[in-house]
Amino acid sequence: MKQKDNTLLEIHDLSVSFSMYEHGLLQKDLQVISDLHLSVYPGEVIAVAGSSGSGKSLLASAILGILPGNATVRGHLHYKGQELTAKRQRKLRGTEIALVPQSVAFLDPLMKVGAQADGHRRPKPVEKRKGIFGRLGLPEKTEQLYPFQLSGGMARRVLVSAALITDAQLIIADEPTPGMGLKQALEALRLFREMADEGKAVILITHDIDLAFEFADKVAVFYAGTTVETALAADFKSGPDALRHPYSKALWRALPQNGFLPLEGFQPNAQSLPEGCLFAPRCPDKTSRCTAAVPPVRQVRGGEVRCYYGA
């Protein structure tokens, strides 16, 4: 494992809850992320995997400070060794920390996409943008188009370009490849890899984990709003015996090339979380210890696992 003092982004015990109205004026807090851990280092691509609703996109919003007003964030968020306060998030957002948003609705419908990708930087990075557009297969005329004139895949490539044009030290790419052809998706991931090789870092939130394995250094597996394992991408390539958590192993077996085996049961929603280990209701190896208390994060074989028995 890399040394802690080299950490670019350090997240410990992160919890996110939303204040909601139940009946009339009765309010309740709905906790959607709990005790989440993640460390990101310069020079690496870390893929974040997990089923829908596991907290991947909410993590991105929490890092950037763009959660809605009814959200409460607790825990430790540090960037380059300093706390990520709301003031610091505003300062770093779009400069040192850039987002590739999941939704193409982030593009301004009234503005040509070339100008949007260039942003407010002076001098305008026209040549750099043209180079990235070219690598992602966007025709030169794309810069003169409005978002409604783009296909979904083209719009995503514009969003990727806009983030890559910045001088950000950390890019958070939230599902950047859906809608792209395989060639364009691979080129986008190559660009992220090149960024990391230059000493920057990328958090790649993705369902295309087959592709992510080829470009990522590590994979963080989320389940029901928490981190259950962080492992080298090479461990996922090696197979389930190299992994530590039963959910990570089930995720590996569910891939088409590994048998496409489904896992019985469902991920619990935030309103009905079980006691103890959140994966226990679906785990074939659970014991009474698993349902009594939440397992701590442990260092195992060069990775991290939240499981009493992960080895």
Side-chain angles (χ1 to χ4, degrees):
M1 299 292 286
K2 298 181 183 179
Q3 295 300 310
K4 189 178 179 68
D5 59 9
N6 191 38
T7 311
L8 183 67
L9 179 71
E10 186 75 25
I11 300 171
H12 275 302
D13 305 316
L14 180 69
S15 296
V16 177
S17 60
F18 292 93
S19 179
M20 305 178 68
Y21 286 97
E22 265 196 314
H23 306 289
L25 298 179
L26 182 65
Q27 283 187 306
K28 69 173 289 186
D29 285 334
L30 185 67
Q31 188 157 306
V32 291
I33 285 180
S34 56
D35 197 22
L36 190 146
H37 290 60
L38 189 70
S39 299
V40 184
Y41 298 90
E44 74 176 10
V45 176
I46 181 164
V48 176
S51 59
S52 298
S54 59
K56 302 186 299 295
S57 295
L58 280 174
L59 171 65
S61 297
I63 294 169
L64 290 158
I66 55 174
L67 289 165
N70 65 328
T72 299
V73 179
R74 298 183 179 87
H76 304 282
L77 272 168
H78 288 81
Y79 177 76
K80 291 185 176 180
Q82 297 182 35
E83 185 181 357
L84 262 181
T85 61
K87 180 179 180 180
R88 195 155 181 251
Q89 285 170 323
R90 287 193 297 271
K91 180 181 178 181
L92 297 175
R93 194 163 56 226
T95 54
E96 280 208 38
I97 304 177
L99 173 69
V100 180
Q102 184 176 153
S103 173
V104 298
F106 274 75
L107 289 171
D108 186 336
L110 303 178
M111 190 176 182
K112 292 180 179 179
V113 297
Q116 291 194 58
D118 289 345
H120 300 290
R121 289 172 286 280
R122 295 292 183 272
K124 288 187 176 295
V126 175
E127 292 307 314
K128 184 176 182 180
R129 187 246 303 152
K130 285 179 181 289
I132 295 173
F133 271 24
R135 286 191 61 177
L136 291 175
L138 290 168
E140 192 169 336
K141 67 176 183 179
T142 303
E143 65 183 35
Q144 295 299 323
L145 300 179
Y146 289 93
F148 77 89
Q149 296 174 295
L150 305 178
S151 68
M154 291 176 72
R156 287 195 182 278
R157 282 178 272 165
V158 169
L159 289 170
V160 169
S161 301
L164 289 169
I165 288 168
T166 69
D167 292 321
Q169 296 299 301
L170 172 65
I171 284 186
I172 305 170
D174 190 359
E175 296 288 357
T177 56
M180 293 187 195
L182 179 59
K183 182 179 179 180
Q184 286 79 32
L186 288 171
E187 192 61 32
L189 294 176
R190 284 191 197 99
L191 285 163
F192 291 139
R193 180 70 262 169
E194 289 172 15
M195 260 197 63
D197 291 342
E198 293 169 1
K200 300 175 182 179
V202 179
I203 298 175
L204 177 62
I205 298 170
T206 183
H207 282 103
D208 292 334
I209 54 177
D210 295 23
L211 295 181
F213 294 160
E214 302 302 320
F215 295 91
D217 299 285
K218 295 189 303 190
V219 179
V221 180
F222 285 14
Y223 184 82
T226 196
T227 322
V228 295
E229 180 169 358
T230 303
L232 295 174
D235 293 346
F236 277 85
K237 291 182 181 180
S238 297
D241 290 342
L243 300 172
R244 301 150 190 81
H245 197 279
Y247 178 64
S248 302
K249 297 180 181 185
L251 198 62
W252 186 92
R253 295 188 183 100
L255 294 174
Q257 69 270 27
N258 298 331
F260 211 25
L261 298 175
L263 176 66
E264 290 188 9
F266 300 93
Q267 177 178 258
N269 64 49
Q271 299 188 59
S272 57
L273 295 178
E275 295 292 326
C277 174
L278 297 177
F279 185 66
R282 305 174 73 185
C283 183
D285 303 319
K286 69 176 180 289
T287 67
S288 58
R289 184 185 187 189
C290 303
T291 56
V294 177
V297 175
R298 298 187 297 119
Q299 300 280 334
V300 177
R301 290 189 288 108
E304 295 181 343
V305 62
R306 185 186 295 280
C307 178
Y308 289 118
Y309 307 108

